[in-house]
């Protein structure tokens, strides 16, 4: 049976790395946060390794080699190394080690394989993440080898870290430890960027995310606003959405990085920006889209949520706020999760955005789009009840029934002044098996003197194929390809609105394809 791990508060972050699923949650006592890995035996809390500070090294240590203390005889395996100044001019830095045997003390450590040696003043200490925080993560490979992809994350309550699935290395930017608490993290032009409250954006040396020496190419840029979101590598620029303004950064190194201001209007809400055929984010006016113009590195913004503006206004009036967002790349969908257990899903695959509102049986706190071990897309969310859910799989809400309904606009069939006698509404449905639907209709803009039709239920069969052409076991034998439901919609009015409902636990998804009305013309509608 699947069970959530022990811990406090909701999941703070979830991500995938090389097909494995990881998630961050505070421990029971709320003294630290733990990274958990999903395994066949359930969620397993990980030990993130130990940090060993050193001075006076003669050369770089190599990942995977064993170090030995010359006095204690203690040993450990090197997993990561960073130098304090980006080089060996002072020989100061730190190692991340695992598999410790014995107890290190103030002594000299050596590695037989590389011949590296250094001086340590104390034993290594465990890597622990502080409790709390709002995590932002980045999955990226800064190195040439294919197996060097890593997760880089910031949480606003402690240092940013580099995580490879086994250990986590602290990212020491040179900022004092009590102030080194970046809120966002990104990659641009082969530099790792971290962003601090107050508007400071700092970047690493090129291609080396653990090295932050200014002599090696690290640097800092002031933005002048707290950060809401950062979208890297979009149209050769990094778009920075602040709480008070929006800008974008171009260039490839510390010598030519250039921050340009796009707008000084109120910026975006934190956690709402995604790249879905352009950058989508929410501000005070709704969901806006930022697209690149033909002029290099210029952008323009436009609102895409005009059709659902009343929905956003109602949420604002009730104090309902956006929590996080995610993109579904394979389906061109942008999803915005709210604090009232709802989700606004916007399909961006056609000329006009197509929004739909979804009510979820749980409160989402974090979301991630990644790949599983078979390179299939997975959409994961962490919730307030301690679970991690995968979306867009199965036929139910973890066994609970999915309730869906849609009410179409009142349709006058291009003759708004003509009364009509409606007879039937013929609905075509595309799917893989069958769908159980209920249909009802209302007339003349919901005129209370006209009685809506009684709800009618249908078991619509579909999913048929062509013998010797369709793939075997992927179609329903003797079923038609497109299902049909013909509902009696007897009534007289100038227009008609059909409502369709579906309540199912085991049925696979279906698509409402077309709706055809059968009607007779009557007289002109009189005042």
């Amino acid at each position: 049976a699947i069970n959530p791990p022990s811990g406090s508060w909701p999941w703070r972050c979830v991500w995938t790395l090389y097909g494995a699923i990881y998630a961050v949650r505070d421990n029971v006592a709320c003294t630290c946060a733990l990274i958990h890995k999903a395994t066949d035996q359930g969620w397993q809390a990980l030990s993130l390794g130990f940090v060993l500070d050193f001075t006076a090294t003669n050369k770089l240590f190599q990942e995977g080699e064993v170090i030995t203390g010359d006095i204690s005889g203690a040993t450990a395996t090197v997993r990561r190394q960073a130098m304090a100044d980006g080089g060996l001019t002072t020989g100061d830095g730190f190692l991340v080690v695992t598999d410790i045997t014995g107890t290190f003390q103030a002594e000299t450590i050596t590695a037989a394989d590389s011949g590296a040696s250094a001086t340590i003043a104390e034993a290594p200490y465990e890597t622990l993440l502080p409790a709390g925080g709002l995590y932002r993560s980045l999955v990226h490979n800064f190195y040439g080898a294919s197996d060097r992809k890593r997760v880089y994350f910031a949480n606003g309550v402690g240092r940013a870290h580099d995580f490879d699935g086994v250990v986590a290395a602290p990212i020491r930017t040179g900022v004092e430890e009590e102030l080194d608490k970046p809120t966002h993290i990104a990659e641009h032009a082969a530099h790792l960027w971290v962003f601090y409250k107050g508007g400071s954006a700092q970047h690493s040396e090129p291609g080396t995310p653990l090295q932050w020496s200014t002599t090696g190419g690290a640097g800092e840029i002031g933005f002048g606003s707290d950060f809401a979101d950062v979208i890297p590598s979009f149209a050769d620029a990094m778009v920075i959405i602040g709480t008070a303004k929006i800008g974008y950064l171009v260039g490839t190194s510390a010598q030519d990085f250039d921050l340009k201001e796009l707008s000084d209007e109120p910026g975006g809400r934190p956690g709402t920006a995604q790249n879905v055929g352009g950058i989508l984010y929410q501000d005070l006016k709704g969901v806006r889209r930022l697209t690149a113009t033909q002029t290099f590195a210029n952008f323009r913004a436009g609102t895409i949520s005009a059709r659902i503006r009343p929905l956003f206004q109602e949420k604002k009036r009730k104090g309902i706020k956006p929590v996080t967002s995610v993109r579904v790349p394979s389906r061109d969908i942008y999803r915005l999760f709210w604090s009232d257990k709802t989700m606004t899903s916007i399909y961006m695959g056609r000329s006009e955005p197509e929004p739909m509102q979804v009510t979820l049986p749980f409160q989402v706190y974090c979301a991630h789009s990644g790949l599983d071990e078979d390179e299939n897309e997975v959409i994961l969310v962490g919730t307030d009840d301690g679970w991690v859910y995968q979306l867009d799989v199965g036929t139910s809400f973890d066994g609970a029934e999915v309730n869906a309904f849609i009410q179409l606009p009142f349709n006058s069939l291009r003759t708004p002044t003509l009364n009509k006698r409606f007879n039937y509404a013929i609905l075509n449905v595309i799917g893989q098996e069958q769908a159980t639907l209920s249909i009802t209709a209302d007339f003349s803009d919901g005129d209370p003197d006209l009685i809506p039709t009684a709800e009618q239920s249908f078991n619509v069969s579909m999913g048929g194929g062509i013998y010797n052409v369709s793939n075997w076991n992927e179609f329903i034998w003797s079923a038609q390809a497109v299902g049909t439901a013909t509902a009696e919609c007897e009534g007289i009015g100038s227009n008609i609105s059909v409502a369709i409902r579906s309540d199912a636990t085991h049925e696979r998804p279906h698509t409402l394809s077309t709706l055809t009305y059968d009607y007779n013309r009557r007289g002109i509608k009189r005042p």
Side-chain angles (χ1 to χ4, degrees), residues 57-290:
T57 185
N58 64 332
K59 62 188 302 185
L60 295 177
F61 292 89
Q62 302 299 317
E63 293 183 11
E65 68 178 348
V66 176
I67 57 172
T68 304
D70 69 335
I71 298 175
S72 65
T75 64
T77 301
V78 176
R79 298 297 183 185
R80 203 85 84 255
Q81 176 178 254
M83 303 302 297
D85 65 348
L88 292 171
T89 56
T90 64
D92 298 344
F94 70 90
L95 301 175
V96 177
V97 298
T98 59
D99 306 318
I100 299 174
T101 61
T103 304
F104 287 95
Q105 55 183 284
E107 56 187 332
T108 299
I109 56 173
T110 59
D113 292 343
S114 65
S117 65
T119 300
I120 62 172
E122 59 182 359
Y125 51 91
E126 187 177 5
T127 300
L128 295 174
L129 304 179
L134 180 61
Y135 282 69
R136 311 292 187 195
S137 63
L138 163 74
V139 180
H140 190 73
N141 189 345
F142 282 93
Y143 309 97
S146 61
D147 61 349
R148 300 290 294 277
K149 184 187 296 183
R150 290 171 183 165
V151 177
Y152 300 87
F153 62 85
N155 53 29
V157 293
R159 279 179 165 148
H161 281 76
D162 158 328
F163 176 68
D164 65 356
V166 178
V167 299
I171 297 173
R172 297 179 177 178
T173 64
V175 176
E176 296 180 14
E177 183 174 359
E178 60 270 19
L179 301 176
D180 196 1
K181 300 175 181 180
T183 59
H184 293 75
I185 196 163
E187 178 275 335
H188 175 66
H191 296 72
L192 183 67
W193 291 74
V194 293
F195 304 84
Y196 295 87
K197 291 180 179 179
S200 172
Q202 301 187 22
H203 63 84
S204 70
E205 300 175 29
T208 54
L210 293 184
Q211 301 298 150
W212 293 75
S213 169
T214 54
T215 59
E220 178 181 12
I221 293 177
F223 185 61
S225 167
D226 284 336
F227 300 99
D229 276 305
V230 181
I231 301 294
S233 302
F234 179 74
D236 296 324
M238 178 170 65
V239 176
I240 303 174
I241 301 175
T243 57
K245 67 178 182 178
I246 299 174
Y248 60 96
L249 183 135
V250 295
T252 59
S253 69
Q255 285 70 43
D256 65 356
F257 282 137
D258 185 16
L259 180 62
K260 300 177 182 294
E261 187 171 306
L262 176 65
S263 171
D264 59 359
E265 295 181 359
R269 298 291 186 89
T272 64
Q274 298 291 335
N275 186 357
V276 189
I279 297 174
L280 304 184
Y281 64 96
Q282 190 205 347
D283 65 3
L284 297 178
K285 299 178 182 179
V287 177
R288 297 174 69 85
R289 176 165 53 184
L290 195 65

Side-chain angles (χ1 to χ4, degrees), residues 451-471:
I451 301 175
T453 63
E455 187 174 82
Q456 303 165 64
S457 298
F458 300 88
N459 290 319
V460 183
S461 297
M462 54 199 153
I466 301 174
Y467 184 77
N468 221 26
V469 174
S470 301
N471 293 329

Side-chain angles (χ1 to χ4, degrees), residues 15 22-24 33-37 44-46 48 129 153 163 168:
W15 60 67
Y22 302 88
V24 180
L34 300 174
I35 297 180
H36 296 78
K37 181 179 181 180
Q44 302 293 324
L46 303 180
L48 302 180
L129 304 179
F153 62 85
F163 176 68

Side-chain angles (χ1 to χ4, degrees), residues 314-327:
E314 180 185 9
K315 289 185 180 297
K316 182 180 179 180
R317 180 175 58 83
K318 293 181 177 179
I320 299 168
K321 298 181 179 180
V323 177
T324 188
S325 63
V326 71
R327 68 172 186 147

